[in-house]
Amino acid sequence: MIKVAIIGAENVGKSTLMNALLGGKISEVSEVPGTTKGTIKRAFGKIKLPKTIKNPFGGADELVLIDTAGLFDPEKEIRGKVLSEEAFKELINEIIRADIIIHMIDATKGLHRGMEKLHYILKFRYEKPIIVVINKIDLVPREKVEELAKIVEKRLEQKPILLSLVTYEGFNDLLKALVHYAQYAK
Ligand SMILES: Nc1nc2c(ncn2[C@@H]2O[C@H](COP(=O)(O)OP(=O)(O)OP(=O)(O)O)[C@@H](O)[C@H]2O)c(=O)[nH]1
Ligand SMILES: [Mg+2]
């Protein structure tokens, strides 16, 4: 069973993505940063695909999705408000055990410094496959999104997927990326 961890600063849309992928109200969503408090929320399920897409996963669409508490404050370089130092470490350990990581960035906030450092550690020290997503692109003018995408690509050395969980733009691209990495995991 492939484990996919969704990570990012507070309020970027991690729980919304979990719900969108599994097709239901599984994780609590709100506009208040620090909503996911259990630090880790696991859900077993099949990826819910729109009727228009042929199932590209083969038999590999049964995933364990791991929704995590926001690792950092959206504005400051401090830990997420619901995380003690202990819980933060526990969360990092859980992330390291995942097969695929989705790193979500809020289009209205940009790339978080703490997340940038963590991204490097996960990618180079732990050799984790990471999908980078810029979410909430519906809230930002296109040229600003493109600008941020360029910055992210330069700093994380990979192209981000541009996503909106309101309009669902980019959702298929995310599914394709998941399928791609799922082939390499078992
Ligand atoms: N406009 C817009 N709003 C979004 C999008 N994705 C999520 N949101 C909203 O952003 C807010 C935060 O979403 P959550 O899914 O709770 O974010 P989270 O990353 O799980 O937050 P924490 O658990 O607090 O770390 C909610 O009000 C969502 O409805 C998006 O693509 N566009
Ligand atoms: Mg959440």
Side-chain angles (χ1 to χ4, degrees):
M1 187 89 64
I2 297 166
K3 274 198 221 164
V4 182
I6 306 169
I7 69 169
E10 288 174 343
N11 210 45
V12 296
K14 300 177 293 298
S15 301
T16 308
L17 177 60
M18 181 188 221
N19 293 345
L21 285 169
L22 295 180
K25 283 206 175 75
I26 292 149
S27 204
E28 189 190 347
V29 166
S30 91
E31 68 284 357
V32 185
T35 299
T36 304
K37 294 193 186 59
T39 71
I40 298 161
K41 187 169 169 94
R42 295 183 196 79
F44 301 81
K46 261 184 186 283
I47 293 283
K48 190 166 184 279
L49 295 167
K51 285 198 185 68
T52 48
I53 313 184
K54 211 172 129 236
N55 188 342
F57 281 89
D61 54 347
E62 280 193 14
L63 307 180
V64 181
L65 279 188
I66 303 163
D67 179 18
T68 60
L71 283 157
F72 296 99
D73 182 285
E75 314 285 347
K76 294 174 242 159
E77 270 208 67
I78 52 171
R79 270 200 316 269
K81 62 176 73 51
V82 303
L83 293 172
S84 64
E85 205 181 323
E86 199 51 40
F88 186 86
K89 282 188 195 148
E90 195 187 308
L91 189 41
I92 299 291
N93 280 330
E94 177 79 17
I95 294 165
I96 288 165
R97 287 197 292 268
D99 302 299
I100 302 170
I101 292 164
I102 301 175
H103 172 180
M104 286 185 99
I105 298 164
D106 186 330
T108 67
K109 307 275 179 192
L111 179 59
H112 190 283
R113 280 267 169 211
M115 284 304 303
E116 182 176 1
K117 287 179 201 156
L118 179 62
H119 184 99
Y120 268 86
I121 294 169
L122 292 170
K123 186 143 116 189
F124 295 111
R125 190 187 302 165
Y126 294 99
E127 299 180 330
K128 291 290 165 191
I130 309 178
I131 299 168
V132 179
V133 168
I134 298 178
N135 188 37
K136 306 195 190 181
I137 60 166
D138 57 289
L139 295 178
V140 175
R142 196 69 205 186
E143 60 275 16
K144 290 277 170 210
V145 172
E146 303 286 351
E147 222 171 86
L148 176 60
K150 280 207 188 94
I151 294 168
V152 168
E153 183 170 357
K154 209 163 163 211
R155 282 172 43 189
L156 300 184
E157 296 171 9
Q158 75 182 79
K159 238 185 166 46
I161 290 170
L162 308 180
L163 181 70
S164 165
L165 292 170
V166 170
T167 66
Y168 280 87
E169 186 182 342
F171 197 66
N172 282 356
D173 297 332
L174 174 61
L175 288 175
K176 277 188 210 145
L178 268 175
V179 172
H180 174 77
Y181 285 117
Q183 291 169 356
Y184 299 104
K186 54 209 152 341

